[in-house]
Amino acid sequence: MSTTGQLRRANTAAVLQSLRRLGPASRAGLAQRTGLAKATVGAIVADLEAAGAVVESTLEDVPAAPAAPSRGRPSKPLSLRPGSHVGLGLELNVDYVSAVVVDLAGTVLTSESRPAGADRVAVLLALAAEVRAAHPGALLGTTVAVPALVRDDDRTVAWAPNLPLRGDALVAEVAAALACPTDDVRVVNDANCAAYAEAHHGAARGVDHALYLTGTVGIGAGIVVGGQLVQGGAGFAGEVGHMPVGDPTAPCGCGRRGCWEASIGLLAVLDALGMAELDTPLTTAAAVAARAADDPAARATLERVGEDLGLGLAILTGVLDPAVVVLGGYFVPLGDLVLGPARRVLDARLASDVQVRPELRLGTLDLRAAALGAAEHSLARVLTGAADLPVPLPG
């Protein structure tokens, strides 16, 4: 792509971001917001109108701002057309699948989860096809969040300790279900996707340095700095569930013993309590919390889980120094049953008084956080100027 093409895409992204973050504006207003020349904004808006991405707002849609008298026809405010261009986010997990559709304005058009059943991939593909049919806007991309190490090509599953996934077959299956090119489908680690969602829509919004911890069968982390993911040299950053923390004898799904998730993951809690898993981690955790309200032994189990959680967070805090740690998934219904002991251990294990304990927050986006982050990931190439906004085909 030529330098001219790169500049055009960057300028288009600046206009789209302005409309997304700050709402409707006239062409002159967009020029003022973005610092672009009025002629440049006019050309970009013409392209966006041709692509069906923007629409002139009526006076009823947007209150008119006082303006100095000027010659010619007044410029009407422009806004992003709802649902015209969308990103699809999917999550394939051990016991559930999710799908989220988000448009360019950041509006969540669909958010749905289902129990995974025996054939997880088939359930996911059926859900993907259904939500795509319900939202026929121009599809900017599809991202699948998986609890796995994914290579930095965003398609190849290198290691999935809790799922029978390997290689890039999932990309082809999703592309076939959606009748789209395989190049339009990406696969990304679920913790990274959930962290991205919490940074842009949830508990880590506005935080420069945040760590997100998943809470499902496995434990993973997403690291966010300045609103962007830190993925490491091979794309594997955040694989914290297999740190040797907690009970050194506890068997892990990876085949080893003593992994962190073998002590603080959902299955570890259920095994300790002798409870069965329900349809989703959230409903299961709610049942655990209800039992702990009347059962001292259950509270003691969660106290131990919280202590092991705090021990691992102390290590991560020493390495990453996050301002905020967001705990998602099954940790949310448990709340202070695990946060209290985690905070105490974290305080006790920080190496120096000058270290600041990160604020521990519960996630706000429930189990669909990873799918929401995946949907945002699908929009990111256009919103950052890395790709052109497609013009829909006629009809």
Side-chain angles (χ1 to χ4, degrees):
M1 177 64 67
S2 68
T3 302
T4 300
Q6 292 172 339
L7 181 60
R8 174 182 51 77
R9 290 189 312 195
N11 290 342
T12 300
V15 170
L16 290 172
Q17 289 278 15
S18 177
L19 291 172
R20 175 177 170 133
R21 293 175 179 172
L22 302 176
S26 66
R27 290 164 178 79
L30 287 169
Q32 187 174 35
R33 284 182 187 176
T34 61
L36 298 173
K38 290 182 180 179
T40 300
V41 169
I44 290 171
V45 167
D47 289 342
L48 293 176
E49 287 178 321
V54 298
V55 61
E56 286 189 342
S57 303
T58 66
L59 294 178
E60 290 76 19
D61 293 331
V62 182
S70 61
R71 297 187 179 186
R73 182 173 63 89
S75 177
K76 290 184 178 180
L78 296 156
S79 60
L80 293 169
R81 186 187 296 273
S84 66
H85 294 74
V86 299
L88 173 58
L90 306 171
E91 181 183 8
L92 176 65
N93 217 303
V94 175
D95 45 14
Y96 68 94
V97 300
S98 297
V100 173
V101 178
V102 176
D103 68 11
L104 280 173
T107 302
V108 176
L109 305 178
T110 286
S111 181
E112 184 175 347
S113 291
R114 294 178 183 173
D119 192 341
R120 302 176 184 89
V121 173
V123 176
L124 179 75
L125 297 179
L127 178 58
E130 287 177 26
V131 298
R132 174 57 182 147
H135 298 284
L139 184 60
L140 299 186
T142 300
T143 302
V144 188
V146 294
L149 291 180
V150 182
R151 298 197 183 279
D152 56 8
D153 60 0
D154 283 349
R155 62 184 295 123
T156 305
V157 176
W159 184 57
N162 298 306
L163 285 176
L165 292 177
R166 192 84 179 198
D168 61 358
L170 186 59
V171 169
E173 291 176 297
V174 171
L178 298 173
C180 71
T182 56
D183 286 348
D184 290 347
V185 179
R186 292 174 173 78
V187 177
V188 177
N189 173 265
D190 64 336
N192 282 341
C193 288
Y196 196 69
E198 290 286 0
H200 289 83
H201 290 263
R205 192 170 186 177
V207 177
D208 282 338
H209 295 82
L211 175 71
Y212 176 87
L213 205 67
T214 62
T216 56
V217 171
I219 300 295
I223 306 161
V224 180
V225 176
Q228 300 300 314
L229 289 168
V230 175
Q231 295 183 277
F236 295 165
E239 192 61 24
V240 301
H242 302 282
M243 298 190 305
V245 178
D247 180 359
T249 68
C252 182
C254 72
R256 297 178 298 175
R257 292 181 179 271
C259 294
W260 196 25
E261 71 179 44
S263 288
I264 70 168
L266 178 58
L267 293 185
V269 174
L270 296 179
D271 287 345
L273 296 177
M275 293 179 65
E277 189 175 3
L278 302 179
D279 58 347
T280 72
L282 291 183
T283 54
T284 303
V288 170
R291 174 170 165 181
D294 301 314
D295 184 346
R299 287 198 297 274
T301 294
L302 294 179
E303 178 88 7
R304 188 269 305 160
V305 169
E307 290 172 351
D308 286 341
L309 173 63
L311 184 60
L313 289 178
I315 295 171
L316 295 174
T317 296
V319 174
L320 300 173
D321 190 25
V324 168
V325 174
V326 179
L327 301 173
Y330 97 93
F331 291 119
V332 176
L334 298 181
D336 283 337
L337 290 168
V338 294
L339 287 186
R343 289 187 179 107
R344 291 196 299 272
V345 171
L346 179 53
D347 284 340
R349 295 304 296 259
L350 291 179
S352 169
D353 291 341
V354 303
Q355 287 182 278
V356 178
R357 186 191 78 199
E359 181 184 351
L360 304 189
R361 298 179 183 177
L362 295 175
T364 61
L365 300 176
D366 68 42
L367 281 183
R368 284 159 288 201
L372 174 57
E376 285 287 356
H377 186 276
S378 299
L379 300 175
R381 284 177 55 79
V382 167
L383 290 175
T384 59
D388 288 310
L389 187 72
V391 177
L393 296 174

